[in-house]
């Protein structure tokens, strides 16, 4: 693990340069967020204020009596160079430069950014930014950003080149209770870039899956080489596909978007799972965060609604997932569980019948079927049914048979209107990824399958290399 990046994500002490007692200012909001949960030493720096939020404020980082491991710079762009110089003299190891006005603004800003990088490297510091909204490290209780609160604990680490979008998405995950480990607004990536961050996250034991919002990659070939070495799943949405979008990307963070076809090919080569939209990004990340990878692409679909199971089957075909023929033993066993008028061929349709026993015993039979690699469980809510018993059945089954079921992921879709929420909460408590419509559940499963296939392909390639 990069020790210098650890100084940014896990600092013992932080200086907030440009701190303010006014929460309507960035320096005020970020200082408040840091103080809300961070247990290390925090030093406000502002020559115009003697006390900020009850803490002694210092005219310069050089006036702070103790060591400063990480500094956040929130001052006008023209003052950033001198502040970074002082941080270097102080012995600061990591910088987060919130300030904008650099390469994203054109030639003059690009030159200023180049000078900033020179200062950073002169003193051996590492820097995230400039033009970033900060970082969040939930396990360290560090919210060094303008995000309103720490997210729910989880294993998803999210890298975003867009600060405002990252802010919105992070707060959306908080509302939807999707667990996050780290949120990194990479900004202009003048020093620390995507390669540095993913290598850091790869060595982070608390990160299970990496989600990325990408506008442009600066070190393309090195990025591909680095990603291929990583075994953790990486899911990415790459914007700037259209001519207008590419133009907007440059004015946003100063990145050159590049050919969309080149990015798609490079991502495939590296094993990055490229998705089309934000729902797909976090749907896939959620599945990775709490379910095992399947051994193959044979799926069984279990539902109380025939229409929903047909939608799922259609999407499976689009995603290249095989709806497997169940063994005769499995079909006979399920026939004893479901009503006579139910369908026991895959997809299995209980024709509206719902109970704890039907869901538990049927899914247990599917888990034991050697032809099944993964299961999609669908519940369609009606006024005549209860969303809780089938959810309890799935969670209880997983608790009892985690070792027995091996590497068979279960993806759920509890769909319908008001009344299904308690069932969804039960699924969340059991770490079952749930989606509101069948298509999203299938796409999430497809991501697990594609990553497993990529790992097998890499393993096969390494085996061939070892024999030569």
């Amino acid at each position: 693990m990069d020790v210098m990046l650890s100084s940014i994500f896990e600092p013992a002490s932080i200086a907030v340069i440009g701190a303010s007692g006014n929460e309507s200012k960035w320096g005020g909001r970020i200082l408040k967020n840091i103080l809300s949960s961070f247990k290390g030493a925090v030093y406000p720096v502002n020559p115009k204020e003697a006390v900020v939020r009850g803490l002694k404020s210092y005219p310069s980082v050089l006036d702070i009596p103790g060591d400063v491991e990480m500094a956040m710079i929130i001052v006008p762009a023209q003052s950033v160079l001198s502040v970074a110089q002082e941080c270097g003299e102080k012995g600061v190891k990591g910088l987060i430069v919130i300030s904008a006005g650099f390469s994203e603004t054109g030639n003059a800003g690009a030159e200023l950014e180049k000078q900033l990088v020179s200062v950073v490297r002169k003193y051996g510091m590492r820097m995230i930014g400039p033009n970033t909204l900060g970082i969040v490290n939930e396990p360290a209780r560090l919210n060094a950003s303008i995000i309103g609160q720490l997210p729910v604990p989880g294993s998803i680490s999210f890298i975003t080149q867009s600060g405002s979008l990252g802010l919105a998405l992070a707060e959306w995950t908080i509302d939807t209770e999707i667990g996050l480990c780290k949120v990194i607004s990479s900004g202009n990536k003048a020093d620390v870039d995507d390669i540095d961050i993913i290598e850091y996250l790869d060595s982070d034991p608390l990160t299970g899956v990496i989600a990325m919002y990408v506008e442009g990659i600066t070190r393309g070939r090195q990025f591909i080489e680095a990603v291929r070495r990583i075994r953790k799943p990486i899911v990415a949405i790459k914007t700037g596909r259209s001519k207008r979008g590419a133009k907007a990307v440059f004015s946003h963070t100063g990145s050159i978007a590049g050919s969309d076809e080149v990015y798609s090919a490079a991502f495939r080569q590296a094993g990055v799972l490229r998705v089309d939209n934000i729902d797909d990004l976090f749907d896939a990340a959620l599945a990775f965060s709490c379910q095992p990878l399947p051994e193959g692409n044979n799926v069984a679909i279990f539902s109380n609604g025939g229409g929903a199971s047909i939608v799922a089957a259609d999407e499976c075909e689009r995603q290249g997932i095989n709806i497997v023929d169940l063994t005769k033993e499995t079909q006979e066993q399920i026939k004893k569980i479901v009503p006579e008028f139910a369908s026991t061929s895959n997809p299995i349709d209980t024709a509206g019948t719902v109970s704890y026993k039907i869901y538990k015993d049927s899914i247990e039979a599917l888990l034991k079927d050697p032809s099944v690699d993964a299961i999609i469980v669908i519940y369609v809510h009606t006024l005549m049914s209860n969303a809780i018993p089938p959810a309890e059945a799935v969670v209880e089954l997983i608790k009892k048979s985690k070792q027995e079921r091996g590497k068979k992921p279960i993806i759920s879709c509890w769909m319908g209107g008001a009344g299904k929420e308690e069932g969804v909460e039960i699924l969340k408590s059991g770490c079952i990824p749930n989606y509101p419509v069948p298509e999203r559940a299938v796409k999430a499963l497809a991501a697990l399958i594609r990553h497993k296939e990529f790992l097998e392909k890499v393993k096969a390639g390494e085996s061939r290399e070892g024999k030569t």
Side-chain angles (χ1 to χ4, degrees):
M1 181 178 287
D2 189 318
V3 176
M4 299 302 284
L5 287 189
S6 296
S7 294
I8 293 177
F9 289 100
E10 305 164 51
S13 55
I14 303 173
V16 182
I17 304 170
S20 172
N22 185 348
E23 291 179 26
S24 66
K25 295 182 177 181
W26 288 48
R29 174 71 176 270
I30 290 174
L31 178 61
K32 177 188 176 184
N33 288 344
I34 292 173
L35 292 174
S36 67
S37 54
F38 182 65
K39 302 304 181 184
V42 181
Y43 303 104
V45 175
N46 188 329
K48 296 180 181 179
E49 297 187 39
V51 177
V52 178
R53 298 194 70 85
L55 297 175
K56 176 178 172 58
S57 178
Y58 299 89
S60 163
V61 69
L62 295 172
D63 297 315
I64 296 173
D67 293 334
V68 176
E69 188 167 6
M70 188 265 277
M72 300 199 69
I73 299 179
I74 318 166
V75 299
Q78 61 269 24
S79 302
V80 170
L81 289 183
S82 60
V83 168
Q85 176 79 23
E86 291 178 347
C87 287
E89 294 171 6
K90 177 66 178 176
V92 173
K93 295 177 180 177
L95 302 179
I96 299 176
V97 180
I98 303 294
S99 312
F102 292 86
S103 62
E104 79 280 4
T105 62
N107 292 337
E111 179 57 34
L112 186 62
E113 186 169 293
K114 190 182 299 183
Q115 294 174 29
L116 173 60
V117 172
S118 295
V119 172
V120 168
R121 292 178 178 168
K122 173 184 176 182
Y123 289 98
M125 297 183 286
R126 297 308 307 268
M127 174 185 70
I128 291 180
N131 189 27
T132 171
L133 295 189
I135 62 103
V136 173
N137 183 359
E138 193 283 328
R141 310 299 295 168
L142 173 60
N143 181 6
S145 75
I146 65 168
I147 295 171
Q149 58 183 306
L150 283 170
V152 175
S155 63
I156 301 171
S157 285
F158 177 44
I159 307 168
T160 173
Q161 197 169 348
S162 169
S164 57
L165 178 65
L167 166 67
L169 289 178
E171 294 192 336
W172 170 73
T173 62
I174 291 170
D175 291 340
T176 55
E177 297 184 338
I178 294 176
L180 295 180
C181 181
K182 293 174 178 63
V183 181
I184 304 125
S185 167
S186 57
N188 291 2
K189 299 186 285 192
D191 177 45
V192 173
D193 63 6
D194 301 292
I195 299 173
D196 300 309
I197 296 171
I198 62 173
E199 288 181 339
Y200 171 79
L201 294 176
D202 185 48
S203 62
D204 174 27
L206 300 178
T207 294
V209 54
I210 301 168
M212 300 180 69
Y213 169 85
V214 180
E215 293 181 349
I217 302 289
T218 51
R219 295 188 286 158
R221 187 177 298 278
Q222 295 96 318
F223 175 81
I224 299 302
E225 292 171 354
V227 170
R228 284 184 65 86
R229 293 192 297 268
I230 292 172
R231 294 297 179 263
K232 291 180 181 178
I234 301 176
V235 188
I237 178 171
K238 165 68 178 67
T239 57
R241 288 186 159 187
S242 65
K243 290 182 179 179
R244 287 283 184 182
K247 185 177 180 180
V249 162
F250 182 77
S251 63
H252 184 206
T253 56
S255 293
I256 300 174
S259 165
D260 190 65
E261 291 79 9
V262 169
Y263 272 104
S264 290
F267 282 176
R268 282 194 300 271
Q269 180 185 349
V272 175
L273 299 168
R274 184 175 186 180
V275 296
D276 294 327
N277 55 61
I278 290 167
D279 279 340
D280 290 348
L281 180 70
F282 282 98
D283 284 352
L286 177 62
F288 279 115
S289 72
C290 56
Q291 288 294 293
L293 298 180
E295 290 296 332
N297 75 332
N298 295 320
V299 66
I301 300 171
F302 184 87
S303 173
N304 69 320
S309 63
I310 292 170
V311 171
D314 287 346
E315 187 61 35
C316 282
E317 185 169 313
R318 279 191 287 270
Q319 297 295 331
I321 300 174
N322 180 47
I323 300 174
V324 70
D325 292 329
L326 304 175
T327 64
K328 288 183 179 180
E329 291 80 6
T330 300
Q331 290 196 57
E332 289 300 322
Q333 190 172 351
I334 292 176
K335 276 183 182 179
K336 298 175 184 177
I337 301 166
V338 300
E340 285 186 20
F341 49 84
S343 171
T344 57
S345 62
N346 194 13
I348 300 163
D349 172 19
T350 70
T353 309
V354 178
S355 74
Y356 174 92
K357 180 176 175 57
I358 285 176
Y359 269 70
K360 181 178 181 296
D361 291 354
S362 298
I363 296 166
E364 189 168 23
L366 294 173
L367 286 170
K368 292 178 179 178
D369 190 321
S371 65
V372 174
D373 297 314
I375 302 172
I376 295 175
V377 182
I378 301 173
Y379 165 79
V380 181
H381 184 65
T382 69
L383 293 175
M384 303 295 292
S385 60
N386 186 338
I388 296 176
E392 289 178 336
V394 175
V395 171
E396 183 63 25
L397 178 62
I398 286 180
K399 286 180 181 178
K400 287 183 177 180
S401 60
K402 195 169 184 180
Q403 296 299 322
E404 181 182 333
R405 75 189 182 99
K407 296 182 178 181
K408 291 190 179 182
I410 296 180
I411 309 293
S412 70
C413 170
W414 258 233
M415 63 184 300
K420 70 177 187 302
E421 295 85 358
E422 289 181 330
V424 171
E425 288 303 314
I426 290 170
L427 293 168
K428 285 181 181 178
S429 71
C431 206
I432 307 295
N434 183 72
Y435 305 95
V437 292
E439 297 95 329
R440 287 173 61 178
V442 172
K443 287 181 182 179
L445 175 59
L448 297 182
I449 292 171
R450 294 208 306 272
H451 185 61
K452 172 67 174 181
E453 290 173 344
F454 173 76
L455 292 180
E456 292 298 327
K457 181 179 177 182
V458 170
K459 191 183 297 182
E462 291 173 347
S463 177
R464 285 195 298 271
E465 289 174 5
K467 292 178 180 178
T468 59

